[in-house]
């Protein structure tokens, strides 16, 4: 036990006493000397700073610990490893994988009866989902607090209070956010939690900052900064420098703001905190513009663009690496299953493995193709920047490229949310198929998955079509709509489709975001008519009226009562897409009189 306690002390001090690469070298040297349980506990004790900055190396160690925990059938340690693994994947930006690991941790804790860790993991999932699905995030968070309250574990409960406060702040409910932040702060203060106290102080400061009460925010930030300086928490110090700078910026004390942004930038570069450096460079450019130092403003504008490009490349590399890891894991699991199965089961699993291999290879090829497109666009952007001579023109051009970047990020999120979730469903369904022994059921399931995969590929092609060009012409939209209608005609023999395009302004162009949103609205309108209206004819038109391009979808189906029918996700989604591109959306329908969908897109958007 003395040897084991000494090792844990070494791990907790390692982040300050040795380089990160030396940390894992020493860990690999010490692990063979430990028992199975000591190996697991030692790996789980990897310090947060190491796990946050060296995510891939930490995940590799967690996988080793998971294998050992499953071998000794220790459910509680299995849960602890999955929980740490989920946190590491979250900081690597692999959010779906993170949620999957956290869910497995909950299952393991439920099996071992560890209510504290189960409640904390529910709360962690809720916190991680705050930017992707806020209502669902609240559900997970409240379930976690419900489980934690009877345990009276103040450390876990304070963390949950802080996290649900963050969710309320995301929801612009700042009074509720402060209520929960103070609850969490009281608990960590009573327990003298040196890690939780600055975290709570910063949360309270963020809430006051959002309320515009900058003096109060500054007071809490400075308290947190002092504690993190004593602990030598470099990540935390860098973040607090940025918080202080934000307050000075809002108070128009630009010299102080620049001083703190630079301090945050320096530490961020030393610890390879790319996202923080990108935020700081953007704020430094704005601050230098405020004081009239355009030379420094230009320098940090260019640095900001370089860091954004770096983040895009890192995300692409992470996606490809994750697919390779997933493929390798699945292959090994299938090989073990084949050895222990009967002859009939062996043939079934071989076919399943082949299908999975084809799907992964196709997905990998598509990702490589997208990465090549992004690389070519980034190269063209760099060449364009080199040709600019005037300082103010450079700043204006950089701002334009920022807008293009944000537009591509919206399309990337659309790709991630739609295609990523569907691929996850496909993988999950394929995993579940190994429990199906009935041949007919298996054949029916494979048919369903094949159809689902075709829909996924179609959606991916639509998104790639939009991303392929900086601008989409009227002719591009014309061809894409005709292609979609040809597919609809093949699948619906009893409906007559027609398309009329009378737009004469051939020089008009859509941005990729505008083009994909307009196409999705038309696609959803036609699909709704096919599925629910039972029409004989569906007519699509694209016309030019005054200062707008007007798209219409008209069917002669059964129609519906707009006041009596509750609008579902599809109709709400069409309204949201139209609003996003500043288009006017109108739906008119009556029982027995068909349905009219009108989208009026202004030319001056």
């Amino acid at each position: 036990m003395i040897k084991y306690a000494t090792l844990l002390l070494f791990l907790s001090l390692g982040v300050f006493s040795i380089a990160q690469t030396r940390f894992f070298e020493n860990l690999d040297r010490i692990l063979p000397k430990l028992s199975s349980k000591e190996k697991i506990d030692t790996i789980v004790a990897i310090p947060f700073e190491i796990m946050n900055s060296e995510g891939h190396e930490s995940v590799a160690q967690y996988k080793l610990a998971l294998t050992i925990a499953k071998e000794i059938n220790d459910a509680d340690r299995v849960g602890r490893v999955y929980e740490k693994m989920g946190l590491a994947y979250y900081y690597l930006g692999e959010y779906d994988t993170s949620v999957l690991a956290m869910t497995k941790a909950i299952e393991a804790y439920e099996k071992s009866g560890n209510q504290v860790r189960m409640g904390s993991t529910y709360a962690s999932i809720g916190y991680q989902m705050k930017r992707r699905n806020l209502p669902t995030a609240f559900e997970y968070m409240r379930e976690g607090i419900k489980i934690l309250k009877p345990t009276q574990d103040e450390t876990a409960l304070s963390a949950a209070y802080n996290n649900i406060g963050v969710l309320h702040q995301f929801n612009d409910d700042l009074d509720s956010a402060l209520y929960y932040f103070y609850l969490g702060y009281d608990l960590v203060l009573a327990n003298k939690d040196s890690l939780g106290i600055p975290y709570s102080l910063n949360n309270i400061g963020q809430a006051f900052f959002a309320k515009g009460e900058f003096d109060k925010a500054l007071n809490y930030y400075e308290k947190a900064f002092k504690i993190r300086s004593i602990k030598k928490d470099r990540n935390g110090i860098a973040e607090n420098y940025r918080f202080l700078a934000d307050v000075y910026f809002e108070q128009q004390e630009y010299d102080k703001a620049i001083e703190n942004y630079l301090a945050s930038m320096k530490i961020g570069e030393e610890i390879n905190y790319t996202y923080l450096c990108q935020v700081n460079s953007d704020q430094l450019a704005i601050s230098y513009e405020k004081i009239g130092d355009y030379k420094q403003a230009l320098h940090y504008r260019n640095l900001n663009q370089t860091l954004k490009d770096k983040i895009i490349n890192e995300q692409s590399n992470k996606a490809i690496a994750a697919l390779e890891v997933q493929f390798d894991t699945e292959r090994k699991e299938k090989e073990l299953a084949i050895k222990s199965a009967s002859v009939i089961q062996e043939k079934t699993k071989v076919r399943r493995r082949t299908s999975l291999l084809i799907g992964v290879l196709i997905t990998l090829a598509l990702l490589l193709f997208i990465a090549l497109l992004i690389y070519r666009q980034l190269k063209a952007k760099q060449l364009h920047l080199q040709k600019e001579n005037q300082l103010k023109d450079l700043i204006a051009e950089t701002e334009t490229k920022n807008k293009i970047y944000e537009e591509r990020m919206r399309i990337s999120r659309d790709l991630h949310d739609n295609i990523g979730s569907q691929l996850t469903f496909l993988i999950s369904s394929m995993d579940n198929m190994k429990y199906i022994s009935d041949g007919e059921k298996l054949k029916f399931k494979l048919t369903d998955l094949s159809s689902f995969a075709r829909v996924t590929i179609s959606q991916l092609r639509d998104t790639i079509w939009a991303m392929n060009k900086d601008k989409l012409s009227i002719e591009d939209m014309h061809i894409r709509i005709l292609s979609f209608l040809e597919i609809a005609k093949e699948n619906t023999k009893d409906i007559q489709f027609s398309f009329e395009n009378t737009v004469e302004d051939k020089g008009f162009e859509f941005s990729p975001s505008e083009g994909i949103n307009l196409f999705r609205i038309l696609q959803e309108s036609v699909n709704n008519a096919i599925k629910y209206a039972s029409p004989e004819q569906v007519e699509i038109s694209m016309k030019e009226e005054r200062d707008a391009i007007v798209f219409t979808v008209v069917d002669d189906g059964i129609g519906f009562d707009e006041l009596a029918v509750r609008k579902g996700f599809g109709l709400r989604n069409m309204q949201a897409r139209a609003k996003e591109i500043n288009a006017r959306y109108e739906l008119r329908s009556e029982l027995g009189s068909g349905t009219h969908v009108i989208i009026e897109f202004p030319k001056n958007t």
Side-chain angles (χ1 to χ4, degrees):
M1 289 302 294
I2 294 175
K3 178 184 73 173
Y4 180 52
T6 303
L7 176 61
L8 289 180
L9 179 61
F10 157 78
L11 287 172
S12 63
L13 295 175
V15 69
F16 304 117
S17 60
I18 59 175
Q20 293 170 346
T21 53
R22 284 289 309 280
F23 178 90
F24 287 105
E25 289 175 5
N26 281 277
L27 185 64
D28 291 337
R29 178 172 52 82
I30 292 171
L31 284 178
K33 302 176 184 180
L34 304 178
S35 66
S36 294
K37 292 183 178 180
E38 288 174 340
K39 287 178 181 177
I40 298 167
D41 295 340
T42 301
I43 293 172
V44 169
I46 292 175
F48 172 80
E49 293 84 354
I50 292 288
M51 181 270 290
N52 189 16
S53 59
E54 298 292 334
H56 290 294
E57 290 79 358
S58 299
V59 167
Q61 294 292 340
Y62 293 145
K63 288 181 178 179
L64 171 62
L66 184 62
T67 300
I68 299 171
K70 288 181 177 180
E71 287 175 354
I72 65 176
N73 197 27
D74 190 328
D76 195 67
R77 283 183 168 86
V78 168
R80 286 162 58 192
V81 176
Y82 268 129
E83 185 181 355
K84 287 285 187 177
M85 191 180 295
L87 188 60
Y89 277 125
Y90 175 75
Y91 283 105
L92 285 170
E94 300 178 26
Y95 302 122
D96 291 336
T97 308
S98 173
V99 172
L100 180 61
M102 290 290 195
T103 303
K104 290 184 178 180
I106 290 173
E107 293 174 357
Y109 287 139
E110 189 172 14
K111 183 177 179 181
S112 68
N114 192 333
Q115 294 293 106
V116 172
R117 295 313 319 152
M118 185 166 66
S120 295
T121 307
Y122 266 114
S124 294
I125 296 176
Y127 182 79
Q128 291 179 19
M129 296 183 70
K130 62 183 179 295
R131 288 186 175 89
R132 292 173 289 151
N133 191 329
L134 192 57
T136 303
F138 270 113
E139 291 177 9
Y140 276 104
M141 189 66 71
R142 291 181 180 121
E143 180 66 21
I145 293 175
K146 178 182 176 182
I147 295 172
L148 285 172
K149 278 186 176 180
T151 68
Q152 297 183 344
D153 189 305
E154 294 183 346
T155 300
L157 197 56
S158 66
Y161 282 147
N162 271 290
N163 288 340
I164 197 172
V166 172
L167 298 191
H168 280 292
Q169 186 167 340
F170 263 77
N171 204 33
D172 291 329
D173 186 359
L174 298 177
D175 291 331
S176 296
L178 280 170
Y179 169 76
Y180 283 107
F181 288 154
Y182 279 122
L183 284 181
Y185 179 62
D186 290 341
L187 291 176
V188 294
L189 198 62
N191 289 312
K192 298 180 180 179
D193 183 352
S194 61
L195 180 64
I197 290 173
Y199 180 77
S200 292
L201 289 170
N202 278 330
N203 281 339
I204 296 171
Q206 289 286 73
F208 279 120
F209 183 86
K211 287 168 72 72
E213 299 181 29
F214 301 124
D215 290 336
K216 291 183 179 180
L218 187 64
N219 179 43
Y220 283 100
Y221 287 155
E222 288 175 341
K223 290 180 180 179
F225 181 82
K226 289 179 181 178
I227 297 173
R228 284 180 162 174
S229 297
I230 294 172
K231 286 178 57 61
K232 298 181 180 180
D233 177 3
R234 303 192 74 198
N235 280 66
I237 293 171
E239 290 177 348
N240 266 100
Y241 269 128
R242 205 219 55 207
F243 294 154
L244 293 170
D246 288 342
V247 174
Y248 290 131
F249 182 88
E250 292 297 330
Q251 292 177 332
Q252 299 183 6
E253 296 184 45
Y254 299 119
D255 290 334
K256 287 185 178 180
I258 290 171
E259 179 183 349
N260 283 274
Y261 283 132
L262 288 173
S264 177
M265 189 83 174
K266 180 180 178 182
I267 299 174
E269 289 173 344
E270 292 172 354
I271 63 178
N272 198 27
Y273 198 159
T274 306
Y275 173 76
L276 182 62
C277 291
Q278 184 259 315
V279 173
N280 283 329
S281 63
D282 186 51
Q283 287 299 111
L284 280 167
I286 298 172
S287 299
Y288 277 117
E289 287 177 16
K290 293 289 187 182
I291 65 174
D293 191 342
Y294 294 107
K295 182 177 180 180
Q296 287 294 333
L298 174 61
H299 168 73
Y300 284 104
R301 284 287 183 193
N302 290 334
L303 178 59
N304 178 258
Q305 187 63 47
T306 300
L307 292 172
K308 284 183 178 179
D309 293 343
K310 180 180 178 182
I311 291 171
I312 291 176
N313 291 332
E314 288 177 351
Q315 290 173 343
S316 298
N317 292 334
K318 287 178 181 178
I320 293 172
L323 282 173
E324 291 174 346
V325 171
Q326 177 69 21
F327 167 68
D328 185 60
T329 302
E330 292 294 330
R331 180 176 57 79
K332 291 179 180 179
E333 290 178 354
K334 294 298 184 295
E335 289 175 354
L336 292 173
I338 290 170
K339 293 179 181 179
S340 61
S342 64
V343 175
I344 297 176
Q345 291 172 330
E346 181 178 354
K347 291 181 180 179
T348 302
K349 291 177 181 178
V350 167
R351 288 195 297 269
R352 187 184 310 147
R353 186 177 62 182
T354 302
S355 299
L356 178 62
L357 175 60
I358 293 171
V360 171
L361 289 176
I362 291 173
T363 304
L364 183 59
L366 290 173
L367 285 173
L368 288 173
F369 177 69
I370 294 171
L372 178 61
L373 290 178
I374 295 175
Y375 173 76
R376 290 176 60 187
Q377 291 169 347
L378 293 175
K379 289 292 290 182
K381 188 187 301 181
Q382 290 173 353
L383 291 174
H384 184 65
L385 287 172
Q386 291 173 0
K387 296 177 181 178
E388 296 180 353
N389 298 318
Q390 297 299 324
L391 178 62
K392 291 183 179 181
D393 290 342
L394 278 171
I395 295 174
E397 187 67 23
T398 303
E399 290 174 350
T400 301
K401 289 184 181 294
N402 284 341
K403 294 178 182 178
I404 294 174
Y405 167 80
E406 292 170 0
E407 192 166 89
R408 285 177 178 158
M409 287 301 292
R410 285 197 297 270
I411 296 175
S412 297
R413 286 196 299 271
D414 183 61
L415 180 64
H416 177 272
D417 293 342
N418 291 322
I419 307 304
S421 62
Q422 290 171 357
L423 289 176
T424 301
F425 171 77
L426 282 171
I427 292 172
S428 176
S429 297
M430 289 178 181
D431 285 339
N432 291 333
M433 284 169 60
K434 63 186 178 183
Y435 300 109
I436 301 176
S437 59
D438 188 299
E440 287 300 319
K441 290 183 178 179
L442 181 59
K443 180 178 179 181
F444 180 75
K445 185 69 174 178
L446 286 172
T447 301
D448 280 351
L449 289 180
S450 177
S451 299
F452 192 82
R454 289 192 185 95
V455 173
T456 301
I457 292 172
S458 176
Q459 293 182 353
L460 181 59
R461 285 173 178 165
D462 292 338
T463 304
I464 293 175
W465 164 73
M467 291 180 68
N468 247 341
K469 302 180 180 180
D470 287 336
K471 295 291 183 181
L472 301 174
S473 66
I474 294 294
E475 186 65 21
D476 290 328
M477 289 294 291
H478 182 103
I479 294 171
R480 200 64 188 174
I481 293 171
L482 283 178
S483 176
F484 165 64
L485 290 181
E486 286 301 317
I487 296 173
K489 288 177 183 178
E490 292 177 4
N491 296 321
T492 53
K493 303 298 183 183
D494 298 330
I495 301 176
Q496 295 295 321
F497 295 92
S498 65
F499 174 51
E500 179 185 12
N501 175 14
T502 61
V503 178
E504 296 180 357
D505 188 357
K506 301 302 182 181
F508 183 77
E509 293 178 325
F510 304 96
S511 73
S513 177
E514 293 164 352
I516 193 63
N517 276 302
L518 287 169
F519 179 73
R520 289 287 191 224
I521 295 171
L522 294 175
Q523 189 180 48
E524 181 70 16
S525 300
V526 174
N527 287 337
N528 283 345
I530 293 171
K531 288 191 289 185
Y532 306 118
S534 302
E536 294 181 1
Q537 292 185 342
V538 176
E539 300 175 355
I540 299 177
S541 67
M542 185 164 61
K543 300 179 181 180
E544 186 175 6
E545 295 183 4
R546 296 180 183 176
D547 296 327
I549 305 296
V550 179
F551 299 83
T552 60
V553 179
V554 180
D555 69 71
D556 60 355
I558 59 176
F560 62 90
D561 185 347
E562 294 184 59
L563 298 178
V565 174
R566 179 180 179 183
K567 292 185 179 180
F569 176 77
L571 295 179
R572 292 198 301 271
N573 193 34
M574 286 193 288
Q575 289 178 321
R577 286 185 180 276
K579 182 178 181 181
E580 182 177 339
I581 60 174
N582 198 29
R584 187 181 71 84
Y585 168 83
E586 182 179 354
L587 174 68
R588 298 200 301 262
S589 183
E590 294 182 7
L591 287 173
S593 299
T595 301
H596 290 221
V597 176
I598 303 170
I599 310 101
E600 184 176 315
F601 182 77
K603 287 185 177 182
N604 61 354
T605 298

